[in-house]
Amino acid sequence: MTQGHMTPEHSIYIHIPFCVHRCAYCDFNTYAGQESLIPAYVEALCREIEIVGGSLFQGGRGEGKLPAHTVFFGGGTPSLLSAAQFESILKTIRASYNLTPDAEISLEANPGTVTLDSLRDLCGLGFNRISLGVQSAHPDELRQLERIHDYFDVIEAVTWARRAGFDNLNLDMIFGLPEQSLDRWQATVKLILGLRPEHLSLYALTVEHGTPFGRWAQRGLLSVPDPDAAADMYEWAGRALEAAGFEQYEISNWAKPGRQCRHNLQYWRGQPYLGFGAGAHGCSSGLRISNSLRIKTYIEHLHPDHLIPNTPFPLSPATVNQTKISKRVEMQETMLTGLRLTCEGVSAEDFADRFGVQMWDVFGREIDDLIGLLLLEWSGPVLRLTKRGRLLGNQVFMRFVD
Ligand code: SF4
């Protein structure tokens, strides 16, 4: 790995795989009823952060510490950790990486798992962005999703977050819920806009195999809106958010000016990131890596008795998969993730600078076809999705993989 000022700024993702209850649609790597493992997990996390940062076995990098400019705690439910546990993780990050003074430090939290005091503590520790999983403003929809909170918890969490000092707030919502009508979705959007967040993420429900929703759907017990109805919800929300002063910058994300999530932009721009925790992924130095999924195995891998000295960067003792990223794959991924950015798209100049070949020479046929289908368009030197392409993103992305 190159060090010093040439090293690109990394992003750091910390996975917290604990939830109070497993929601009916969830297929994330998270576990309910294992909270007793949190202290050992936090210790393992700190060890992994130190090892990859090079400070444990390689004598510390001093000036050469890896620069990082965003930290994101996702899950799971990170807000189940105590302030002391967050403090020790952040302290370890600051000791092992060169965290920029204006770093974005985000926390995913679930309403119903935060208090005014806990949010004040988090603000005091340096968290400057919070993302609340709201999903719906309707009690029956929240019950159906098996969320643990009601809408009153949401209002409370937002009020407390503001009072604690958070001025950068994201709310997550889901549309296309079973039996959901456009009216009901509109009511959710209007209520949520009333909470005045800086950022909104809107996801279409996907019924995943292996979840309770997946099983109910298989037995014909779940009726989700058809794709046209879900598209109407998406388009209506896009117009409502724009009218409220939000700019769409990614297929599922809208922000007030200057409030885009820097951490997620790092992924979409194909810039390097490290992932710590059970099942976390990283991508750096030409490698894509992932950790063991299960909490106990992860903790075991990082037990002091099992560590192997000099794990090469960016691997960690918990790494179970590593894939070298070929130039071809990197180019494909640049198209896949870059085209998610609805305004920024993929710049032909940046592509040529990065890969030494013209985007046109590599993907000319795919681009031509997709422009013909009115799914992609050029805006000056930038290739991006059309409005129609935003609805049919998967059809576009499929064309850029072998
Ligand atoms: S809170 Fe989030 S991560 Fe946890 S079970 Fe529900 S959807 Fe999954």
Side-chain angles (χ1 to χ4, degrees), residues 19 21-23 25-26 28 30 75-77 110 147:
C19 284
H21 171 82
R22 194 128 184 153
C23 304
Y25 59 99
C26 178
F28 298 129
T30 188
T77 308
N110 280 329
R147 300 288 305 186

Side-chain angles (χ1 to χ4, degrees), residues 13 21 55 74 89 115 152 178 188 194 255 263 266 337 339 346 376 397:
Y13 174 77
H21 171 82
S55 51
I89 299 170
T115 63
F152 183 70
T188 284
H263 184 84
Q266 184 91 353
T337 57
L339 286 172
V346 182
L376 287 183
F397 306 142

